[in-house]
Amino acid sequence: MIYSYCKRCKMESPGDTCPGCGKRSTAAAQRDVWSIANVPLSDGRAWRGALYTLLGVSVLLLAVILGLEALLRDAAAAMRLLQGALPRLIAALAAIGLALVFLFLALQGREVNVYVLDPQGAHLQTWHGPQKWKSWARLQSADPGKNVLQQDGSVMHLSQERHMMWRDVQSVQYKPARAAIFVYHTPHCAPMILKLPAEEFDLAAAYVGKYCKGK
């Protein structure tokens, strides 16, 4: 949703027209704001990242063990390890890793991602409940200074902030079928993903397109 700030009335309000003075705001005074609730335990992207990491660690560990065995003894000894219990041990370690991933994601609980597009860039804040274990499960310190009282009287913890300035954007990919916009600082690598409610996609795409023409 578009919000605009009126310097005359010193207030921010939904839409591009101030309800106080009726003046239409300039583009520089407008920003697009929306939020998306997320449960990391059901987030396929989080699981894919964990699986790829565990797979890579397992393959690397197996290669190191076999390489050292072949170097210190001989190739036949390495093959005997490969035909023995070593692969099952590596698989068991990977299964333990998956169980730990499940535990950590489950402890993270529900989070809310707040996105803001303004004339400077795209901004993301992630909020979750103030319980300490939710921070620890994200491998973060439970800093009470990041607990913020909300308008409804609840308390939320600011987990992370991320900013992508338009001047630093190298490329943009619009994915309407997934209701997401991928904004890249480095082409094809580590994008900032703007997840949107389906009804907000066209508005956000137009806003991004205005500042990222040709990218």
Side-chain angles (χ1 to χ4, degrees):
M1 176 181 288
I2 290 293
Y3 285 80
S4 57
Y5 180 77
C6 179
K7 292 183 179 180
R8 179 184 298 177
C9 300
K10 301 187 185 307
M11 61 182 292
E12 186 176 60
S13 56
D16 58 2
T17 302
C18 175
C21 64
K23 184 179 179 181
R24 184 183 177 88
S25 62
T26 63
Q30 296 178 16
R31 59 186 191 140
D32 189 12
V33 183
W34 72 91
S35 63
I36 290 282
N38 181 51
V39 179
L41 185 60
S42 62
D43 189 340
R45 186 178 176 85
W47 276 107
R48 283 193 298 273
L51 287 172
Y52 292 153
T53 300
L54 286 172
L55 180 61
V57 170
S58 299
V59 171
L60 179 61
L61 180 60
L62 182 61
V64 168
I65 293 174
L66 293 177
L68 287 175
E69 186 70 7
L71 182 64
L72 296 177
R73 299 183 67 181
D74 53 40
M79 288 303 298
R80 285 194 294 271
L81 279 180
L82 188 60
Q83 294 168 358
L86 180 60
R88 292 193 296 273
L89 178 61
I90 298 294
L93 291 175
I96 293 172
L98 280 177
L100 289 175
V101 169
F102 177 88
L103 176 62
F104 273 73
L105 292 179
L107 288 174
Q108 288 180 22
R110 180 178 178 273
E111 64 188 20
V112 177
N113 294 317
V114 179
Y115 299 87
V116 177
L117 307 180
D118 64 22
Q120 285 71 49
H123 315 276
L124 165 64
Q125 289 184 334
T126 300
W127 298 82
H128 60 72
Q131 295 82 2
K132 291 182 178 180
W133 72 79
K134 292 186 176 182
S135 295
W136 295 336
R138 290 172 168 83
L139 303 181
Q140 298 172 349
S141 63
D143 182 1
K146 294 184 177 181
N147 293 341
V148 179
L149 182 66
Q150 306 297 302
Q151 291 182 348
D152 61 2
S154 64
V155 175
M156 295 290 284
H157 182 85
L158 179 58
S159 173
Q160 69 160 337
E161 289 186 279
R162 187 178 178 186
H163 307 278
M164 177 77 77
M165 301 296 103
W166 300 130
R167 64 177 179 272
D168 298 325
V169 173
Q170 297 298 312
S171 63
V172 180
Q173 290 185 1
Y174 301 95
K175 299 181 180 291
R178 296 172 55 180
I181 301 173
F182 286 42
V183 184
Y184 292 87
H185 177 269
T186 302
H188 312 299
C189 180
M192 182 177 184
I193 303 177
L194 309 177
K195 298 181 180 179
L196 292 133
E199 65 275 10
E200 294 280 346
F201 180 84
D202 290 342
L203 180 61
Y207 198 107
V208 171
K210 179 170 62 175
Y211 293 99
C212 299
K213 291 180 180 179
K215 297 182 180 181

